[in-house]
Each structure stands twice: as structure tokens, then as C-alpha cells.
Amino acid sequence: MRANPRPLSKREIRQENERLILEAAEKTFAEAGFGGATMQLIADVAGLPKANLHYYFPTKESLYRRVVQDIFQVWLQAADVFDGADGPEEGLGAYIDAKMEISRRHPAGSKVWASEVMHRAPVIQDYLETTLKEWTNGRMAVIQRWIDEGKMDAVNPRHLLYMLWATTQHYADFGHQIETLNGGEPYSDADWAEAKASVKHIILTGIGVGQDNA
Amino acid sequence: MRANPRPLSKREIRQENERLILEAAEKTFAEAGFGGATMQLIADVAGLPKANLHYYFPTKESLYRRVVQDIFQVWLQAADVFDGADGPEEGLGAYIDAKMEISRRHPAGSKVWASEVMHRAPVIQDYLETTLKEWTNGRMAVIQRWIDEGKMDAVNPRHLLYMLWATTQHYADFGHQIETLNGGEPYSDADWAEAKASVKHIILTGIGVGQDNA
DNA sequence: TCGGTTCCTGACCGTATGGTCAGGAATAGA
DNA sequence: TCTATTCCTGACCATACGGTCAGGAACCGA
């Protein structure tokens, strides 16, 4: 049996347990939905007693809210690559790469978000109306500027954004279907590269942006 | 008070009640998820006593299974436009139109399907492995033939299909988000026309197919 | 050392859920 | 008309759920 190197401080204990709970909650909410996930199941996944969950998060809804908020922050951060780009090939290309990478690394988060929105966003409606709306308007303006500068075709910026979201998140939200159609095998590095390249090629070509496909 | 024109026959009663229950179930499962939907709530929406639901569908899962199967049939039917088309502009254009129309008319069904797949398809895994896989392989072959005939660019047929699914279903599954970003207003006829045109333009252009945009 | 704070959890509670069932009403078929 | 079948439902049941709480253990700061 191993020696205990150092007792955790109160601060460390709180950080560590919150992390354990949030990870377990994200995974469980993604797999079972809000209604299907039980506090007992989340507790089992986290390896903690159920009562301990209620110590850190008073209600199931408060835990869920925190999970959804964290996901939203990840997505907002990923959109930074959008800004400061010289044109659509760089900006949109990097954005597609970033969102595909999130779908690959954090599929559970994407599913929780999708589920939340599908159920009419009972918890994050205010985010949709404020932060997301402002973010969307800002990026639409960037795209419109690129159009005005003749850097891409005059497509509807809003529907272009929707297509980017839909396509990239599809690889997370419908990952199980994709895996099944791949003979039950998870996507390999090569599969992901092919997916990224295909998405970028069709969309960038679709808006009149040339590509050097290596 | 109105006179009862004709008492319903047993057969008619069964048909009508099953329809009521299935409609209520689709709507409720879409809005609340499998776990969040209760038999009592479905019964209230259908306007029937809860015990009557269990008379027609012995368990909640059997009712849910029936709902998902019905949705899958609608989608398979919609794909008929794909076949017999002379080329990608006609075939894919019609397919996009058909799937956008389903997203508009049956958003609840799309959501139930999405939710089912996100939760690792506990009920329709066999459909994914058989019917959907065969369907997908067939359409990939059609697309590959179009490519070989020089009717479109050499894109990866599989990822093109995924993009079609993702984009068209996004307008149903994320309809609430789209509506919120539309100022809380549901999409009008003009909004839907614009969405359809945008999706078709970007994707068809993206695969090297010219379009006469009226 | 010691009082205060934080962390922890087994046992418990009220409620809501999926599902059952007995018994009755309505229709079908002969 | 008469019997069999189908349809219907209020009342009920066992279970599982989210959440509470008392009481103790561990750490902190002075």
C-alpha cells in the first residue's frame, strides 16, 4: 500500500471534487439526458457518495447549469481564431478546425448543449438572447465585410454560420451513428483528417474561396 | 350541444386513439427527452387517461420505440427523390428541399431521432447497422457515379452526406436557437426560402455544380 | 492548543413515476 | 337477443428519485 504523500488542503479538496463531479455530470448528462441522469449515477461515476454531490451543488439543476455554462465558455474561446484573420480562408478554415477539434475532444459537452437547446433552453435561454446573439451579430459583420471586400461570394452570413455549427457539431452529437456507419470503429486520426478536409473543402469552395489542398 | 353523428367502430376507435397517443408522445419526447417525458404528461397532451395509454402500449419504452420507428420511415421515404435523378443538381437539390421541408413540418420527430442517437441509440441500434448502413452505401455509390461521370467534383461522398444531414436537421433540432437569434420570431415562408436557397447554393457550389439562382 | 469552519456521509423523507388490476361499459358477431 | 371480445379507467402498488439532516471527522488560523 502506498504512502499518502501529502494531505490535500481544503482548497485542493474542493477543486478536485468539483472537477470530479463536473466531469462525471457532463458525461452522464450527455449519455442519459437531464431527465435520465440521476444524482446517484453521477455520484457513482465520480466515485463519491450522493450526499457529497449535494454538498457541492445543492440541486441537480444547479449542477446541470454549471455544466452547460462551462461548455458555452469553451465554445466562445474557440471562436477567437475567427477574429483577426485576414480573410475567410484563414478565418473560417481555422474556425472549422477548432470546432472539429472540440467535437473530437469534448463530444459530451456538445451533446449536453444540443440537448439543452432541443428542450427549448430552459437553463441557458438568457445566454442565447444576450451573449450568443451578440457573438453571432459580430461574426456576421465580419463575414459581410469579407464579402464587401470581394474576398468571398455573397452568401447569407447567418446561414453560413448555421452550416458551420451544424456540420462540425454533427461529428460530436451524432458520433455514435457515424461510428456505427464506420463498422463500429471509432474514427482514427486519418478519419478525422479526412472529415476536416472534406468539410473545409466543400464549405470554402461553396463560398468561392480557393484552396490549396496539399 | 352537437349530436353524435355516428358512433365510432372499434377499429376506428383504435386507429384514432393510437394516432392521438403517438402524436402526443412524439411531441412530449421531443420536448422533454425520454427520461423527462412522463406517461401522465403524454396522456394529458393526448387527452386520455394514463391507464388508457398502457392499454394500447404496454410500456413507455414500447411507445417510444414505435415513435422512433415511424420517424425513420418518414426519412427513408423522403430519400426517394434522391434516386432516378439525372445528376447532383437535381438529385441533391431535391433531397435538400425534402429534408428542409421535413425539418419544417416535423421538427419534433427530428429531435426525437437526434436524442435517440445521442444516447447511443439504445432502441434503434439495429436500424443503424442494417437499414441505414445499406441506404448510406447505396447513396454513396450514386454520388461516386456522378463523380466518375464528371458531373461534380471529387468530394468524399460520405462526408457530403453527413453535411447534408447535419445542415438540414439543424433547422429542426436547433430550431429554438434559430428562433431566438431571429428575435424570438418563428421563421416565415421567406425565412425558410432563404435558408433553403443558402444551403443549396453553398453545398452545390461546394461540390462544383453550377446553379441558376433565380 | 483550541474554537471555528469546512468537509463528509449513512440514514432518512416526501413525492412522483411506471405499471397493474378489477370491474364495468360498449360493441361485434352469430 | 345473447355471449364474447374489446375498450376503458379510478384506484392502487412498489420503486426510485431528488433532496435533507444530524452528527462526526478533518483541517485551519490564531
Side-chain angles (χ1 to χ4, degrees):
Chain A
M1 86 195 177
R2 64 188 176 80
N4 211 348
R6 179 168 60 93
L8 293 174
S9 72
K10 294 283 193 194
R11 175 182 300 268
E12 286 168 326
I13 286 175
R14 175 166 280 270
Q15 275 188 340
E16 174 68 4
N17 282 348
E18 281 194 1
R19 190 185 60 79
L20 281 175
I21 294 169
L22 286 170
E23 274 182 12
E26 179 179 292
K27 185 179 170 190
T28 307
F29 283 134
E31 285 180 0
F34 180 81
T38 68
M39 291 299 271
Q40 185 61 62
L41 184 56
I42 296 171
D44 291 346
V45 172
L48 294 171
K50 191 187 70 160
N52 207 351
L53 266 65
H54 280 101
Y55 173 71
Y56 287 101
F57 299 91
T59 66
K60 182 183 178 184
E61 191 178 316
S62 68
L63 173 57
Y64 174 76
R65 183 187 303 267
R66 174 69 179 278
V67 168
V68 175
Q69 286 173 345
D70 287 357
I71 294 158
F72 191 55
Q73 289 309 314
V74 170
W75 281 7
L76 280 186
Q77 229 171 348
D80 289 347
V81 297
F82 206 107
D83 304 316
D86 280 341
E89 182 168 2
E90 181 192 342
L92 296 181
Y95 185 52
I96 291 172
D97 277 333
K99 287 224 64 199
M100 289 292 281
E101 205 56 31
I102 294 176
S103 284
R104 182 179 190 181
R105 303 298 176 189
H106 300 289
S110 183
K111 287 177 190 173
V112 174
W113 176 269
S115 188
E116 165 70 6
V117 171
M118 282 201 303
H119 302 154
R120 308 195 66 81
V123 161
I124 43 88
Q125 178 64 23
D126 52 334
Y127 279 77
L128 296 187
E129 289 171 358
T130 57
T131 318
L132 182 64
K133 189 161 195 170
E134 288 156 21
W135 186 93
T136 306
N137 288 335
R139 312 306 141 142
M140 281 168 58
V142 172
I143 293 171
Q144 188 59 52
R145 183 157 48 76
W146 287 336
I147 292 173
D148 294 340
E149 292 169 357
K151 291 178 175 171
M152 54 177 283
D153 288 351
V155 302
N156 184 307
R158 180 180 299 279
H159 294 294
L160 172 58
L161 276 180
Y162 292 169
M163 184 178 294
L164 292 175
W165 294 346
T167 305
T168 54
Q169 287 163 221
H170 182 82
Y171 287 87
D173 301 342
F174 289 76
H176 176 73
Q177 178 173 294
I178 288 173
E179 189 174 314
T180 297
L181 293 177
N182 194 41
E185 294 294 317
Y187 260 28
S188 65
D189 288 352
D191 291 327
W192 277 102
E194 174 80 18
K196 275 189 194 177
S198 295
V199 170
K200 280 198 285 188
H201 175 80
I202 296 177
I203 290 183
L204 291 181
T205 305
I207 60 174
V209 172
Q211 258 199 307
D212 344 301
N213 282 332
Chain B
M1 83 194 179
R2 65 187 176 80
N4 210 347
R6 179 167 61 94
L8 293 174
S9 72
K10 293 284 193 193
R11 174 182 300 269
E12 285 168 328
I13 286 175
R14 176 166 279 270
Q15 274 189 341
E16 174 69 3
N17 281 349
E18 281 194 0
R19 190 185 60 80
L20 281 175
I21 294 169
L22 286 170
E23 274 183 13
E26 179 178 291
K27 186 180 171 190
T28 307
F29 282 134
E31 285 180 0
F34 179 82
T38 67
M39 292 299 271
Q40 184 61 62
L41 185 54
I42 296 170
D44 291 346
V45 172
L48 295 170
K50 192 187 70 159
N52 207 351
L53 265 66
H54 280 101
Y55 174 71
Y56 286 101
F57 298 92
T59 66
K60 183 183 177 183
E61 190 178 315
S62 69
L63 173 55
Y64 174 76
R65 182 186 303 266
R66 174 69 179 278
V67 168
V68 176
Q69 286 174 344
D70 286 357
I71 293 158
F72 191 56
Q73 289 308 315
V74 170
W75 281 8
L76 279 187
Q77 228 171 349
D80 290 347
V81 296
F82 207 106
D83 304 316
D86 279 341
E89 181 167 3
E90 180 192 342
L92 296 181
Y95 185 52
I96 291 172
D97 277 334
K99 288 225 64 200
M100 289 292 282
E101 205 55 32
I102 294 176
S103 284
R104 181 178 191 181
R105 304 296 175 193
H106 300 288
S110 183
K111 287 177 190 172
V112 174
W113 177 269
S115 187
E116 165 69 6
V117 171
M118 283 202 300
H119 301 155
R120 308 196 67 82
V123 161
I124 43 88
Q125 178 64 22
D126 53 334
Y127 279 77
L128 297 186
E129 288 172 358
T130 57
T131 318
L132 181 64
K133 189 160 195 171
E134 288 157 20
W135 186 92
T136 306
N137 287 335
R139 310 307 139 142
M140 282 169 57
V142 171
I143 293 171
Q144 188 59 52
R145 182 157 48 77
W146 287 336
I147 292 173
D148 294 340
E149 292 169 357
K151 290 178 175 170
M152 54 179 281
D153 288 351
V155 302
N156 184 309
R158 180 180 299 279
H159 294 294
L160 172 58
L161 275 181
Y162 292 170
M163 184 177 294
L164 292 175
W165 295 346
T167 305
T168 54
Q169 288 163 220
H170 182 82
Y171 287 88
D173 300 343
F174 289 76
H176 177 73
Q177 178 172 295
I178 288 173
E179 190 174 312
T180 297
L181 293 177
N182 194 40
E185 295 294 318
Y187 261 28
S188 64
D189 288 353
D191 291 327
W192 278 102
E194 174 80 17
K196 275 189 195 177
S198 294
V199 169
K200 280 198 287 188
H201 175 80
I202 296 177
I203 291 184
L204 292 181
T205 304
I207 61 175
V209 172
Q211 260 200 307
D212 344 299
N213 282 333

